[in-house]
Amino acid sequence: MSCCGRRKVMRICWINTTARNENFEPLYAKLNEMVRPVLHPETELDFRFLPQGGDFLRSLYAEHLNSVLVVEAALQAEAEGFDAVFIGCWNDPLWEAREVLGIPVGSVSEQSMLAALTLGRRFAVVTVSEKTTVAIERDLRAYGLADRAIVRPVRAITPESDAAMLLGTVDAETARAEIVPRFDAVARECVRDGAEVVLIGCTFYSPLLRAAGYTEVAGTGVPVVDAATVALKYTEAMGQIALSTGLVKSNRLALRAPAAANLARARRSLGLIGD
């Protein structure tokens, strides 16, 4: 809120972890259609893509390389005056970005997992490939949430997702007939093993499946959560809290930013910024 009580228009920068792909334009349009309505009407949301990227995250090393570009994009967003940054992928350098930024940073993974804690006692994540389960489970444990998840908390659909399957999900009828059953089969396994909440472990699939009407593991009472949309709303709340109270993060130990000169020297040595 401003000093006179009027709500400040908040600007959120959504950073995708890949370069823009012209073949995915229908997907981007559907994503935009599904996520924007949850935000305050005056909140500004800017989708950003990396100027270059590996465009392959089913590798721990490829993810590591990509993370540098994501944090650079986040630093650029802060320099441009955005009030919060949202990392639009489960494979995210969340803590690295939080360390060096002075504005709130949210991610699909952490914010949706925290939301799951308010919806049920134990949760699970259904994701798109076996390799992706490794990265998501690593983050789940890093966030200290393993005790609130089921055994084998992250499970993948089979066969794993590819570009054709993802684009096919844009059509709700195709999604209901061909894609939802893949996710639902795994979700049912999770429910049998104690899950009371299921998160869709992909930024793009989660709003697409919601658009197709997949919001509950049928007949179980277990919600299927559109992780991307829920996490974005939580990030908006983080941004509004920061604007209203000044509360962003701890500045001790892990998230304390390095001296600006030291950070600039490190970035310059890698050619990320000029002299």
Side-chain angles (χ1 to χ4, degrees):
M1 301 290 286
S2 67
C3 61
C4 57
R6 184 178 178 182
R7 183 185 188 277
K8 179 187 181 296
V9 174
M10 185 164 56
R11 301 174 64 216
I12 301 174
C13 185
W14 174 313
I15 298 175
N16 290 285
T17 58
T18 61
R20 193 171 194 116
N21 184 337
E22 63 180 13
N23 295 322
F24 283 179
E25 290 302 331
L27 170 63
Y28 303 147
K30 190 65 176 181
L31 180 68
N32 182 62
E33 174 190 328
M34 293 302 296
V35 304
R36 282 188 186 269
V38 307
L39 300 174
H40 188 281
E42 294 182 0
T43 295
E44 297 179 1
L45 179 64
D46 187 16
F47 288 97
R48 294 279 178 93
F49 294 84
L50 300 181
Q52 58 182 349
D55 292 349
F56 178 74
L57 297 177
R58 294 177 190 176
S59 158
L60 297 179
Y61 183 56
E63 177 188 349
H64 179 70
L65 294 174
N66 214 56
S67 292
V68 176
L69 301 177
V70 172
V71 177
E72 286 297 308
L75 286 164
Q76 180 63 34
E78 181 179 34
E80 293 177 20
F82 282 91
D83 300 299
V85 163
F86 179 70
I87 302 176
C89 186
W90 283 75
N91 301 50
D92 61 71
L94 176 62
W95 287 353
E96 292 86 345
R98 280 194 182 144
E99 180 200 39
V100 297
L101 267 65
I103 57 175
V105 181
S107 72
V108 180
S109 57
E110 186 191 55
Q111 271 46 70
S112 66
M113 289 181 192
L114 292 177
L117 303 186
T118 72
L119 300 174
R121 191 172 60 93
R122 294 196 185 280
F123 69 91
V125 182
V126 178
T127 189
V128 296
S129 74
E130 287 288 348
K131 195 60 179 282
T132 308
T133 67
V134 176
I136 294 178
E137 186 165 348
R138 175 199 61 196
D139 288 347
L140 183 155
R141 296 187 183 283
Y143 300 153
L145 301 179
D147 288 344
R148 293 293 298 275
I150 65 171
V151 175
R152 288 184 56 232
V154 189
R155 306 183 188 187
I157 60 171
T158 54
E160 68 180 37
S161 168
D162 58 20
M165 176 180 163
L166 181 57
L167 283 172
T169 312
V170 174
D171 178 74
E173 185 175 339
T174 300
R176 283 190 289 271
E178 301 178 14
I179 314 305
V180 167
R182 290 196 201 182
F183 281 88
D184 196 56
V186 182
R188 287 181 176 278
E189 293 177 3
C190 295
V191 172
R192 285 195 293 270
D193 289 343
E196 298 169 6
V197 180
V198 172
L199 302 175
I200 299 298
C202 172
T203 303
F204 291 157
Y205 275 107
S206 54
L208 295 179
L209 294 178
R210 178 167 63 89
Y214 187 49
T215 58
E216 180 182 319
V217 183
T220 66
V222 173
V224 175
V225 179
D226 171 359
T229 303
V230 169
L232 178 63
K233 185 64 178 180
Y234 269 63
T235 302
E236 182 187 42
M238 292 164 62
Q240 196 59 49
I241 288 170
L243 291 174
S244 301
T245 70
L247 184 61
V248 175
K249 66 172 185 177
S250 170
N251 283 300
R252 180 171 175 81
L253 297 177
L255 298 184
R256 182 177 64 189
N262 293 340
L263 180 60
R265 183 168 61 251
R267 295 170 71 201
R268 191 175 297 114
S269 69
L270 295 174
L272 299 172
I273 57 174
D275 294 331

